[in-house]
Amino acid sequence: MSRTVYVNGAFIAEEDAQISVFDRGFLFADGVYEVCSVLKGKLLETEGHVARLHRSLNELDIPAPCSDEELLAAMEKLVADNDIDEGLVYLQVTRGAADRDFAYPKDPKPTLVMFTQAKKLLNDPVADKGITVITLPDLRWARRDIKTVGLLYPCMAKMEAKSKGAQDAWLLDDDGFVTEGTSNNAYIVTQDNKIVTRHLSNSILHGITRRSVLALAEEEGMVVEQRPFTPEEAYNAKEAFFTSASAFAMPVIKINDAVIGDGTPGEITQKLRAKYIELSLSI
Ligand code: PDD
């Protein structure tokens, strides 16, 4: 079935959508993106995603393609037109088309593209089982706080994980500490029930789900430590999990050869996942 997608103000069939070969998103990965989940036909965490979009655009001097109201209205229309009950909206803003030159064009006309993906989020069998990860060196650029479309290394890392029979990779900085997953923020729960996740800096994406899940954890009286952790600390942890817009809180049951806890999704992870879903459905 053909989807309706959005390109620069127009809602069109996906097979009719066109982008210039000179678009700088295509030539230089000169663009940023957001992924917003949809539950029961409603977009989640739009305020956080729009705020982070502006932050990414500002860091790269890309003008906003439209007002926030226009953006949100277009996202909602896309969800309705494609009849999305559960899934996500992907949105991408690039610096637009210009003759190929490393220097930014003087008067850029940003490109805004959006599309939907239907995806089972609530009853996700992967979340019931948990996933396995391997660790790999973090070879991405040093501004991981900007959500750019330059995602080739995360793709390579995911493929390496798959080739080793795992589902994802957790990436390690030069000192051997976990930065984050290829497309998610990484956490462990220590034997004394502390939730540990790397502090915010340019080394990781400032996850919108991360912010909400940490707030929920604190509301539940859980202790949160924002600091780096090593794979060795993770091997000995009670639980491990990751967060992202499309996965909520997802249990990790094995890291490299180490089984985490008893090899099933941990209690705290499951509680946070349930609370996050409950909160999302209640808004
Ligand atoms: N990824 N870290 C990285 C590198 C990410 O790409 C993402 C999101 C996150 C989690 O951020 P949030 O909670 O705001 O989704 C952390 C999206 C889902 C993706 O690329 O598909």
Side-chain angles (χ1 to χ4, degrees):
M1 253 250 306
S2 165
R3 276 170 292 193
T4 298
V5 301
Y6 174 100
V7 183
N8 293 329
F11 292 86
I12 40 184
E14 61 180 74
E15 59 276 14
D16 297 330
Q18 289 187 350
I19 290 291
S20 166
V21 295
F22 297 107
D23 195 281
R24 290 179 60 96
F26 176 61
L27 296 178
F28 294 106
D30 187 358
V32 301
Y33 74 107
E34 285 294 330
V35 175
C36 222
S37 281
V38 177
L39 269 191
K40 304 268 178 223
K42 261 182 27 202
L43 286 152
L44 305 188
E45 309 242 37
T46 48
E47 197 190 306
H49 287 288
V50 169
R52 188 174 60 191
L53 175 68
H54 282 297
R55 184 179 181 280
S56 296
L57 291 171
N58 284 339
E59 291 298 311
L60 297 175
D61 258 332
I62 299 176
C66 60
S67 72
D68 292 353
E69 290 71 30
E70 287 165 323
L71 183 70
L72 288 170
M75 288 169 82
E76 278 166 13
K77 181 168 161 51
L78 214 50
V79 169
D81 287 0
N82 289 291
D83 209 9
I84 301 294
D85 181 48
E86 270 180 50
L88 51 90
V89 171
Y90 174 92
L91 81 87
Q92 174 168 327
V93 182
T94 74
R95 203 181 304 272
D99 201 15
R100 187 175 183 275
D101 184 351
F102 282 70
Y104 299 166
K106 276 211 170 54
D107 185 21
K109 297 197 176 37
T111 301
L112 170 60
V113 165
M114 294 195 267
F115 58 81
T116 55
Q117 286 181 317
K119 191 171 180 242
K120 275 258 157 263
L121 301 177
L122 285 182
N123 296 313
D124 182 351
V126 180
D128 295 335
K129 202 162 170 263
I131 72 150
T132 64
V133 303
I134 58 166
T135 57
L136 289 174
D138 196 338
L139 301 183
R140 297 172 300 166
W141 77 329
R143 288 302 308 276
R144 301 161 198 148
D145 57 310
I146 306 173
K147 198 164 171 59
T148 77
V149 295
L151 294 176
L152 194 50
Y153 186 66
C155 293
M156 291 168 71
K158 202 90 96 171
M159 290 309 289
E160 174 92 21
K162 272 192 173 199
S163 76
K164 300 214 156 91
Q167 285 128 303
D168 200 8
W170 280 10
L171 305 173
L172 306 179
D173 67 17
D174 290 345
D175 298 319
F177 291 98
V178 174
T179 52
E180 58 185 339
T182 56
S183 60
N184 46 67
N185 292 118
Y187 307 71
I188 55 171
V189 181
T190 61
Q191 291 297 338
D192 56 352
N193 295 329
K194 287 184 184 133
I195 296 170
V196 181
T197 191
R198 194 176 176 110
H199 57 285
L200 297 181
S201 70
N202 291 354
S203 299
I204 62 168
L205 187 75
H206 301 188
I208 304 305
T209 322
R210 176 187 184 281
R211 187 180 63 177
S212 297
V213 165
L214 291 186
L216 281 175
E218 277 171 357
E219 262 171 42
E220 290 298 307
M222 299 172 186
V223 178
V224 174
E225 278 182 11
Q226 298 191 45
R227 60 163 175 87
F229 62 87
T230 60
E232 290 70 31
E233 190 178 4
Y235 300 156
N236 296 307
K238 207 176 194 176
E239 301 181 22
F241 67 97
F242 69 73
T243 62
S244 77
S246 49
F248 307 146
M250 181 63 68
V252 172
I253 53 165
K254 196 171 164 214
I255 302 172
N256 294 326
D257 290 328
V259 172
I260 308 303
D262 65 1
T264 63
E267 228 173 88
I268 289 179
T269 305
Q270 284 178 300
K271 185 165 184 183
L272 288 173
R273 180 179 175 83
K275 286 266 160 209
Y276 184 81
I277 289 172
E278 188 186 305
L279 179 71
S280 302
L281 288 172
S282 72
I283 299 171

